[in-house]
Amino acid sequence: MSDTSAAEPRHEVNLVVNGVPRSATVPARRLLSDFLRHDLGLTGTHTGCEHGVCGACTVLVTGAGRSDDEGVSGRPIRSCLQFAVMYDGAEITTVEGCTRPDGELGPVQQAFQDCHGLQCGFCTPGFVTTITAYLEENPSPSEEEAREAISGNLCRCTGYQNIVASVLRAAELKSEEVGG
Amino acid sequence: MTETAGRTAAEHESARPETAGPRTGAPEGVAHDAPERFVGKAVRRKEDPRFLTGRGRFLEDRNLAGQVYAHFVRASVAHARITGIDTAEARSVPGVVAVFTADDLEGVRPIPLIRQPPDPGVPLPELRTLASGTVRWVGEPVAVVLAESPEAAADGAEAVQVSYDPLPAVCLVEDAIADDAPTLHEGFDDNCCFRTSYTGGDAEGAFATATHRVRRRMVNHRVAPFVMEPRGMIAAYDRYEQAMDVWITTQRPHHTRWFIGQVLDMPEHLIRVDAGDVGGAFGAKEPMYPDEAAVAFAARALGRPVKWVEERAESFLATTHGRDHVADLEVAFDGDGVISAMRGRILGNMGAYLYPNSSGTIIGRTGPLLPQSYAFDSIDVEIVGVFTNTTPTGPYRGAGRPEATYYTERLIDEVAAELGLDPAEVRRRNYIPAGEFPWQTPTGLEYDSGDYAAALQTALDEIDYDGVRALQRNGTDDGRLIGVGIASYVEIGGVTPSSVAAMEGSPGLWESAAVTVHPSGKVNISMGTCGHGQGHETTFAQIAADTLRIPYDDITIAYGNTETSPFGFGTFGSRSAAVGGTAVLRACEKVVTKARRWAAELLEADERDIEQVDGAYQVSGVPTSRIRFADLASKTLMLMKPLADGEEPGLDAIAYFDPPNYTFSSGTHACVVEVDPLTGRVEVSDFVAVDDCGTVINPLVADGQIHGGVAQGISQALYERIVYDADGQPMTSSLMDYTVPTAAQTPELRTARAVSASPVNPIGVKGIGESGAIGSTPAVANAVLDALRPAGVRDLDMPFTPERVWAALQKG
């Protein structure tokens, strides 16, 4: 993405995305979502509404932007409502980083495939990140809790039925790993 | 039953692979080792890993070197004369490259219609790329700014000054046809852009002799398709090749190519269109839009790639809306609740212009489907398309079908209420009997197959109908009102066979599939359909694997790119499985025929003695005289002998399918609602969808289609509504004002299945993509009215928001 004009001041943003140090120089008004997508080429994070409602742009952040999250790692945020410059020094996980270290599908991703939790796939990255964070907080949710956990994200294809099932399946896969 | 997806015995039957395989036309194998069959199985989707790892290729993900960004200046008033457009300040914004208005569009032709309504006697208003002289809806593109960055394009658009001389606006259909209404288009003094009638039997006679009648004015309100991925497009023009590359999030890439050729007067062989991964569509990514034409024009004019992605607020204005009818319908019936005729009028709000395909929605779907599941043989209904100062309407999941089902199913419940009969029983008394197919409707359709009473019974059993009725009679402790709603439906799928196309003002829409067999025996299949979430890469590979009898993993399915896919019409109208899936089957059958011929030659046997077994061809009953499919593929491409005259190398094949008729999926949706009389809040406490889509290719995918459709249908009944104020200003242009339901607002849904194979295609499949959205809305509406009727509420329009329901209860 080219910049508005030569006159607009630019700022260097250094952060770690999916374990890899990255940096880019951007105008102050560059949204974190656009920064990830266009400046860093990580197009898995999608923007569906640009006003923080749909959740497709959800990424997980550790260590910047808010003072009250000491010790909280992988907090889900709406990257379309944040400026990239606020995340200088942060660690961010996007959907691309939700795979296993060897690149195979991670437990949440695998659960979505097992349960047909996605159709067009556009909202999916935001669900995968949201659920990844949620299962850290609550490793064995009830169906009702699973439904509640995803109720900040919009999906127009699935009617959420199989996404709820995917949350439960992901919890199962994760606990098998821990147990096994 | 508490399972997320309750299954009936009927479904288990259908999902058994050995009973659900396609009829390949291949001779019966004599002996083979327990062949794996894929049709009917819940195969996990091939397309999922790329979406799950963020590797989908959506429009906004793509960038071209040197691209500029488009931002539209859109009409801010609903109806006005443009008295001036000042672009000077915009041109001086740093980064702005160009600003185009209608005056700059030399040589750009109007966007042609692909659905022709009945001739109104005067020329229909031309659909132009940018507004010229007059704006007629808030959101109409007036100018487009091109700039080096999206921010600069937005700043530039902000700086364009458009002066308006306001004209009176009209947004509601009944207001628009009133005598003193403002007129939108010259020659259309009454704002009616088309009129057509559905007449059959003797409605006049039936009404004259009927002992009972019931009439309702029903509003099927305007909703937004709300597609997760907004529309967008990148166009790049090469002046030396005089060719254009287009990436666009669309359901119809070949049609888009044709449209661009028409609008820019370019030959199609120099236009390449690629849909990439499409993030949902629901009918909203079918037509060619004026803004898309402007992007193509700008790319050619500037000689630089132009990228445009709709913003969400812009999408609420600029992408077609759905539904928006007012129906005034009446049925005649006897003392047993047997209906003899329907009559009345439906006004369809077409918005400010007819978009290329939008008249087909009400003309080709709503009107013909009014008889629904019922045997009455007389009808006299007029359908009128009306211009208003609103966003143009177009197909939205169901595209005219949900409206027809809504009206008829509401009326069936009114018949039951009038006579004090059980609405389930009234349906039984009026259904087309299962033994009577093919069935001719008085509106000119020929239903292919179905068993409506069976689906109803399954639905009643699933929701424990008698138990819920008892609960309803006894009342709840906390005063909550319980309602039970049933809606049966019949829908048109597999659009549009050439044999019936004239009825909907369309050409015949066949489908294509091209099979490429590589020397390794691995297979690519290119399709003319263009999936966008329906799992085509999986389900079509299932059909191919069964027909070719090769491993499922040896097959890939591709679509969406006009360079690599054969001409086809795309994905909409519940057509892809029935029409495109059959094209896959036919193309694979051709491959099998070629393979058998080559096998005979290579095995030095008579072709009639060659049988297809899993992964190979052999002399019938002689496994030692066998050639593997992969070896056949290799030997027929890497030839060791000269080709005989007329002989073709390899096993590739292309096939087309133009079905003899539509398919007619059917079913019954049933639900239980609880209404809190203190707040008016409606909660769907149980919902079951029983759908008959004929042969099920993949139950996982089929259930997913139903879930999504039902969620949208329930949402129309309870939450969603596009609202304009009296001046035509949209009041619902963000997700803060327009309710797209979350998981918390979407009830648990259960699905069950009935199976009546379609006789119009060899797979026996019918459409499933729209069914969920068709039965669910009237099921909820009937349930809400069932709950409210004892409190004295006899009629209420959707959406059943707490405010509306509470107010209705106060009036009682």
Side-chain angles (χ1 to χ4, degrees):
Chain A
M1 185 179 286
S2 47
D3 293 313
T4 304
S5 73
E8 190 163 355
R10 296 152 65 92
H11 308 269
E12 189 171 313
V13 178
N14 293 288
L15 35 57
V16 174
V17 184
N18 303 327
V20 181
R22 304 291 301 263
S23 80
T25 305
V26 298
R29 62 171 159 169
R30 179 65 39 87
L31 296 170
L32 180 59
S33 51
D34 288 339
F35 177 82
L36 292 167
R37 291 177 51 73
H38 299 299
D39 295 291
L40 302 187
L42 293 167
T43 54
T45 299
H46 295 157
T47 51
C49 75
E50 311 114 24
H51 57 293
V53 178
C54 83
C57 68
T58 305
V59 299
L60 308 180
V61 64
T62 305
R66 213 168 73 171
S67 57
D68 60 349
D69 66 350
E70 287 292 317
V72 178
S73 78
R75 174 170 57 89
I77 59 156
R78 303 280 153 109
S79 62
C80 79
L81 292 183
Q82 309 289 319
F83 293 117
V85 290
M86 295 159 62
Y87 290 86
D88 187 45
E91 281 180 46
I92 286 180
T93 303
T94 67
V95 68
E96 289 95 338
C98 291
T99 57
R100 293 174 195 282
D102 64 357
E104 290 297 304
L105 297 185
V108 176
Q109 294 164 326
Q110 186 60 55
F112 267 74
Q113 188 178 26
D114 291 351
C115 300
H116 189 33
L118 69 158
Q119 291 182 29
C120 81
F122 192 84
C123 71
T124 310
F127 278 96
V128 169
T129 49
T130 300
I131 295 164
T132 298
Y134 176 71
L135 292 177
E136 289 298 316
E137 189 186 305
N138 181 2
S140 52
S142 65
E143 184 172 332
E144 199 178 333
E145 288 169 335
R147 191 170 282 277
E148 177 68 25
I150 59 164
S151 63
N153 291 54
L154 295 181
C155 169
R156 194 61 155 169
C157 293
T158 63
Y160 306 104
Q161 308 298 308
N162 289 344
I163 301 182
V164 172
S166 300
V167 177
L168 302 175
R169 173 72 183 143
E172 231 173 65
L173 288 173
K174 284 191 75 164
S175 75
E176 281 167 17
E177 278 173 20
V178 173
Chain B
M1 184 176 289
T2 53
E3 268 184 328
T4 336
R7 306 251 193 273
T8 64
E11 182 189 337
H12 285 305
E13 196 68 27
S14 81
R16 239 179 15 224
E18 60 273 25
T19 62
R23 292 161 228 162
T24 61
E28 288 301 312
V30 176
H32 44 71
D33 327 311
E36 190 173 8
R37 289 290 174 265
F38 292 93
V39 168
K41 278 196 180 157
V43 179
R44 288 186 304 179
R45 298 202 318 171
K46 279 176 184 279
E47 45 271 80
D48 288 350
R50 75 170 183 275
F51 293 130
L52 286 164
T53 55
R55 283 164 182 76
R57 199 81 159 113
F58 296 95
L59 189 277
E60 223 272 311
D61 301 343
R62 201 177 290 272
N63 291 291
L64 300 187
Q67 72 192 9
V68 295
Y69 298 81
H71 199 109
F72 286 90
V73 177
R74 296 180 181 275
S76 57
V77 290
H79 199 191
R81 269 187 211 94
I82 300 173
T83 54
I85 306 177
D86 183 353
T87 61
E89 192 187 331
R91 287 174 205 276
S92 69
V93 169
V96 167
V97 172
V99 183
F100 294 121
T101 68
D103 290 344
D104 301 307
L105 304 181
E106 203 178 322
V108 176
R109 301 162 167 182
I111 298 172
L113 300 187
I114 54 173
R115 295 288 170 124
Q116 292 296 339
D119 186 2
V122 283
L124 284 163
E126 289 180 342
L127 183 56
R128 295 197 167 272
T129 298
L130 294 171
S132 176
T134 303
V135 294
R136 295 183 175 87
W137 50 286
V138 173
E140 184 171 0
V142 174
V144 59
V145 177
L146 291 310
E148 299 288 354
S149 73
E151 292 90 350
D155 290 348
E158 193 75 18
V160 172
Q161 302 294 324
V162 186
S163 312
Y164 295 111
D165 183 7
L167 295 165
V170 63
C171 297
L172 302 173
V173 279
E174 286 162 315
D175 296 344
I177 61 167
D179 288 342
D180 56 350
T183 299
L184 272 80
H185 295 285
E186 201 175 326
F188 294 86
D189 294 342
D190 58 359
N191 291 317
C192 295
C193 52
F194 58 81
R195 291 173 182 275
T196 186
S197 286
Y198 299 81
T199 53
D202 175 18
E204 198 183 336
F207 272 93
T209 57
T211 52
H212 296 74
R213 300 167 182 188
V214 66
R215 178 177 172 181
R216 281 288 179 275
R217 172 187 175 276
M218 293 170 280
V219 178
N220 202 306
H221 61 283
R222 177 178 286 238
V223 291
F226 186 78
V227 178
M228 286 301 301
E229 182 204 25
R231 289 186 303 119
M233 174 172 173
I234 302 171
Y237 184 74
D238 185 313
R239 61 184 287 197
Y240 301 106
E241 288 185 16
Q242 299 188 330
M244 185 174 283
D245 278 292
V246 174
W247 292 267
I248 180 169
T249 173
T250 182
Q251 300 170 244
R252 298 186 180 216
H254 287 89
H255 246 132
T256 300
R257 182 177 66 179
W258 177 81
F259 273 121
I260 291 172
Q262 294 288 311
V263 172
L264 296 186
D265 192 16
M266 280 184 66
E268 283 162 272
H269 71 298
L270 297 177
I271 305 170
R272 297 177 283 260
V273 176
D274 185 358
D277 285 321
V278 176
F282 310 117
K285 293 177 180 174
E286 277 191 57
M288 180 82 187
Y289 284 79
D291 42 31
E292 295 164 357
V295 171
F297 166 81
R300 187 173 65 178
L302 296 177
R304 288 179 67 178
V306 175
K307 180 174 185 174
W308 169 68
V309 178
E310 199 179 51
E311 294 180 344
R312 182 52 68 189
E314 184 180 23
S315 183
F316 275 109
L317 307 179
T319 291
T320 51
H321 296 153
R323 318 283 189 252
D324 204 348
H325 294 180
V326 176
D328 183 354
L329 295 171
E330 184 176 23
V331 287
F333 55 101
D334 67 15
D336 293 327
V338 175
I339 296 167
S340 55
M342 175 187 280
R343 70 181 177 190
R345 183 179 70 174
I346 301 173
L347 303 174
N349 191 338
M350 308 313 294
Y353 290 87
L354 272 190
Y355 266 19
N357 56 341
S358 56
S359 65
T361 293
I362 189 167
I363 292 174
R365 308 285 171 260
T366 307
L369 281 169
L370 285 169
Q372 283 292 298
S373 316
Y374 307 108
F376 66 84
D377 61 3
S378 294
I379 190 164
D380 184 3
V381 174
E382 184 187 32
I383 280 185
V384 185
V386 181
F387 289 126
T388 65
N389 295 109
T390 60
T391 295
T393 54
Y396 165 54
R397 202 167 196 167
R401 303 164 183 81
E403 295 91 317
T405 303
Y406 183 77
Y407 306 137
T408 303
E409 289 303 300
R410 281 281 316 275
L411 290 169
I412 294 280
D413 266 33
E414 294 303 336
V415 169
E418 202 78 13
L419 297 174
L421 290 171
D422 178 347
E425 179 57 23
V426 172
R427 284 179 172 78
R428 282 191 205 97
R429 290 177 188 178
N430 284 284
Y431 279 148
I432 297 160
E436 296 290 320
F437 293 92
W439 175 266
Q440 304 288 337
T441 72
T443 51
L445 299 175
E446 185 182 288
Y447 291 172
D448 57 349
S449 62
D451 186 345
Y452 307 152
L456 172 73
Q457 193 55 50
T458 305
L460 298 180
D461 293 346
E462 287 285 330
I463 61 160
D464 183 20
Y465 189 66
D466 296 338
V468 179
R469 285 287 183 213
L471 190 67
Q472 188 181 30
R473 275 194 303 275
N474 299 335
T476 55
D477 295 339
D478 57 2
R480 303 231 279 181
L481 308 170
I482 292 185
V484 189
I486 302 164
S488 298
Y489 71 89
V490 178
E491 61 149 320
I492 287 172
V495 302
T496 292
S498 303
S499 58
V500 293
M503 190 168 80
E504 54 184 80
S506 167
L509 309 177
W510 42 267
E511 231 9 281
S512 60
V515 182
T516 304
V517 184
H518 297 281
S520 56
K522 312 289 187 198
V523 168
N524 298 133
I525 302 178
S526 295
M527 309 282 305
T529 50
C530 185
H532 41 277
Q534 296 89 344
H536 289 179
E537 290 166 55
T538 303
T539 50
F540 291 152
Q542 290 178 260
I543 294 171
D546 282 359
T547 313
L548 297 172
R549 293 175 73 167
I550 63 172
Y552 167 78
D553 289 337
D554 286 0
I555 300 161
T556 65
I557 303 291
Y559 47 80
N561 185 327
T562 58
E563 283 299 278
T564 51
S565 291
F567 189 93
F569 292 91
T571 288
F572 53 93
S574 298
R575 69 189 305 269
S576 295
V579 191
T582 305
V584 171
L585 176 69
R586 288 277 165 81
C588 290
E589 285 172 353
K590 281 187 173 178
V591 172
V592 170
T593 301
K594 279 190 175 183
R596 185 179 287 114
R597 197 160 57 229
W598 276 107
E601 187 168 328
L602 293 166
L603 296 172
E604 296 176 349
D606 190 300
E607 199 181 315
R608 284 167 300 184
D609 294 334
I610 298 293
E611 66 176 350
Q612 184 193 23
V613 295
D614 282 349
Y617 292 78
Q618 69 183 24
V619 177
S620 193
V622 190
T624 50
S625 187
R626 170 186 290 193
I627 183 163
R628 295 188 316 130
F629 181 72
D631 293 335
L632 260 183
S634 165
K635 286 183 185 221
T636 58
L637 287 166
M638 316 295 188
L639 292 174
M640 302 302 282
K641 70 162 198 66
L643 281 177
D645 193 26
E647 201 172 27
E648 291 177 354
L651 302 174
D652 293 356
I654 185 165
Y656 306 91
F657 185 59
D658 180 17
N661 190 5
Y662 299 117
T663 62
F664 291 91
S665 299
S666 59
T668 292
H669 292 187
C671 72
V672 181
V673 300
E674 295 179 23
V675 179
D676 182 344
L678 297 178
T679 63
R681 181 168 177 270
V682 175
E683 187 187 341
V684 176
S685 55
D686 193 13
F687 193 105
V688 64
V690 183
D691 299 285
D692 183 348
C693 64
T695 303
V696 174
I697 298 169
N698 185 327
L700 204 59
V701 170
D703 275 346
Q705 289 295 309
I706 292 296
H707 290 159
V710 168
Q712 283 171 305
I714 291 176
S715 185
Q716 185 187 0
L718 296 185
Y719 308 119
E720 293 178 48
R721 182 172 168 236
I722 289 282
V723 181
Y724 288 90
D725 76 6
D727 298 323
Q729 282 296 333
M731 308 300 285
T732 43
S733 300
S734 84
L735 289 168
M736 312 305 286
D737 315 301
Y738 186 88
T739 312
V740 175
T742 67
Q745 292 155 301
T746 306
E748 189 178 318
L749 309 172
R750 294 183 294 121
T751 60
R753 221 160 260 142
V755 180
S756 319
S758 174
V760 309
N761 64 69
I763 306 172
V765 67
K766 302 177 180 180
I768 188 87
E770 298 171 288
S771 308
I774 297 170
S776 52
T777 311
V780 173
N782 283 340
V784 171
L785 283 161
D786 186 56
L788 300 184
R789 233 178 242 115
V793 178
R794 293 191 59 230
D795 194 11
L796 193 62
D797 282 317
M798 303 182 288
F800 303 110
T801 57
E803 181 195 7
R804 269 197 192 189
V805 170
W806 184 85
L809 282 168
Q810 303 316 301
K811 276 196 278 183

